[in-house]
């Protein structure tokens, strides 16, 4: 058994033990004299606070996805503008060259006394000179026509480049505004969640963590009770193993929205970088991962596959086997192992299908 496999299995065992311990602790606390006091009438229970905090962080996750998508689009548009600028410079250089050629032709005509080519041809003394001159006239006329056509095409290209650049600037500005709005939403949601949590006493904060674990444990238990693990028996691909190895090595690093490592990650930052380390570039956001990557049935899920969570595809984790996944949960939490069914599953996608 390889090092990664042993580490993963130890992690899964630790996950099982952690969930069981959390449930026992919650049960013991509920039936003991140290249980949290009954809330005053009209006051929110700790469970309600937990649900509100979770919802705020989930909304922040949705806004983070929008921010990351806008950031990626802005980078692509900036690169496009740079490319257009290069095309404009090349076009201007081409026009300069064409004008120089046209000027040379005009100067040559001036040196010949300004006599039209047809007149010079009529005054030629021999038939052979006449025929040679006629051929040169045709060649000259064609060269002039080609020169003017190329000049017109180049000028038309420059006009098109100008329109393209203007359109890209408009998109860039729209994405900048979208980024700012998303950033504002993220900061507001996180601030609200942190404000709720900061009002709790130390014992309540500890209890809050236990409630989180209990909710995850119940969801995972319900998922496993469907017999799903009996159907999931696929082994990881070679690239999937590399992606899992990368993700596993990030455990303990903090969640930071918009981060793609190496010291911190958001949820899709972790999954996209893990697959990049495995040699496969995938979309940056969980919503784009859902939209663009091939979907597989849960029963066919294998380590390395990505699990997209919630109806709005605002969260993603990486399946590592034995009913577990690795993810970057939310602000204030670190990259960790969790039950693959501990949140509502929207779909499973496979980067290396």
């Amino acid at each position: 058994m390889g090092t990664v496999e042993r580490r993963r299995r130890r992690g899964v065992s630790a996950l099982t033990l952690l969930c069981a311990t959390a449930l026992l602790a919650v049960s013991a606390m509920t039936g003991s004299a140290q249980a949290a006091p009954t809330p005053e009438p009209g006051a929110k229970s700790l469970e309600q606070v937990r649900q509100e905090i979770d919802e705020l962080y989930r909304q922040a996750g949705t806004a983070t996805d929008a921010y990351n998508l806008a950031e990626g689009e802005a980078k692509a548009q900036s690169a496009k503008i740079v490319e257009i600028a290069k095309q404009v410079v090349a076009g201007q250089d081409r026009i300069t060259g064409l004008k120089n050629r046209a000027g040379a032709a005009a100067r040559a005509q001036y040196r010949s006394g300004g006599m039209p080519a047809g007149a010079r041809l009529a005054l030629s003394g021999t038939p052979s000179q006449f025929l040679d001159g006629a051929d040169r006239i045709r060649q000259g006329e064609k060269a002039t026509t080609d020169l003017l056509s190329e000049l017109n095409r180049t000028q038309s290209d420059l006009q098109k480049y100008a329109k393209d650049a203007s359109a890209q600037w408009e998109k860039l500005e729209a994405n900048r505004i979208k980024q700012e709005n998303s950033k504002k939403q993220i900061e507001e949601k996180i601030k609200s969640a942190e404000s709720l949590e900061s009002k709790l006493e130390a014992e309540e904060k500890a209890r809050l963590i236990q409630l989180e674990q209990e909710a995850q444990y119940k969801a995972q238990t319900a998922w496993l009770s469907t017999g799903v693990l009996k159907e999931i028996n696929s082994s990881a691909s070679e690239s999937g193993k590399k992606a899992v190895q990368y993700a596993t090595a990030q455990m303990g690093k903090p969640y930071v929205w918009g981060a793609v490592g190496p010291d911190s990650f958001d949820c899709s930052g972790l999954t996209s970088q893990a697959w990049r380390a495995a040699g496969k570039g995938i979309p940056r956001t969980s919503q784009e991962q859902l939209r663009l990557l091939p979907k597989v049935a849960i029963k066919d899920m294998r380590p390395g596959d990505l699990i997209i969570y919630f109806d709005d595809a605002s969260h993603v984790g990486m399946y590592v086997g034995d009913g577990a996944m690795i993810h970057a949960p939310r602000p204030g939490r670190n990259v960790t192992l969790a039950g693959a069914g501990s949140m509502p599953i929207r779909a499973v996608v496979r980067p290396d299908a």
Side-chain angles (χ1 to χ4, degrees), residues 11-19 212-213 215-224 228-229 232 251 301 307 309-310 315-327 329 336-345:
V12 172
S13 298
L15 170 67
T16 304
L17 180 60
L18 176 63
C19 289
E212 288 179 4
Q213 293 171 344
Q216 293 170 4
Y217 179 81
K218 287 180 178 178
Q220 174 73 353
T221 300
W223 184 66
L224 294 177
V228 66
L229 282 188
I232 300 175
M251 288 177 65
M301 189 163 57
I307 307 176
Y309 293 100
F310 302 110
H315 193 67
V316 60
M318 178 178 290
Y319 186 64
V320 295
D322 293 333
M325 61 92 173
I326 288 176
H327 70 147
T336 189
L337 196 69
S342 58
M343 291 173 285
I345 297 176

Side-chain angles (χ1 to χ4, degrees), residues 239-297:
S239 54
K241 290 177 183 177
K242 292 178 182 177
V244 170
Q245 183 178 22
Y246 180 93
T248 302
Q250 312 314 310
M251 288 177 65
K253 293 182 179 180
Y255 177 106
V256 174
W257 67 266
V260 292
D263 300 321
S264 58
F265 298 86
D266 63 20
C267 65
S268 57
L270 175 65
T271 54
S272 61
Q273 290 304 304
W275 272 100
R276 183 179 296 276
K280 176 73 174 180
I282 65 172
R284 167 67 178 88
T285 71
S286 56
Q287 292 174 348
E288 289 294 281
Q289 289 169 4
L290 171 66
R291 188 173 72 88
L292 297 175
L293 296 179
K295 298 176 181 62
V296 297

Side-chain angles (χ1 to χ4, degrees), residues 36-57 192-193 196-197 200 204 207-209 211-212 214-215:
T38 303
E40 296 178 3
K44 293 180 181 178
S45 68
L46 194 57
E47 174 59 18
Q48 288 174 320
V49 172
R50 181 196 69 78
Q51 291 177 3
E52 189 172 347
I53 289 174
D54 281 355
E55 179 60 20
L56 285 168
Y57 278 126
S192 296
L196 279 174
E197 203 162 353
L200 300 176
E204 289 177 316
R207 170 71 172 155
L208 184 68
I209 293 175
L211 287 175
E212 288 179 4
E214 181 186 28

Side-chain angles (χ1 to χ4, degrees), residues 22 25 53-54 56 59 85 92 100-101 109 114 117 138 143 146 155-156 181 183 200 210 217 255 257 266 300 322 349:
I53 289 174
D54 281 355
L56 285 168
Q59 291 173 6
Q92 290 172 335
N100 288 339
R101 285 168 54 190
Q109 185 174 351
R138 284 194 295 271
D146 290 346
Q155 289 175 331
S156 178
N181 290 338
K183 181 178 180 181
L200 300 176
Q210 290 176 335
Y217 179 81
Y255 177 106
W257 67 266
D266 63 20
D300 298 323
D322 293 333
V349 297

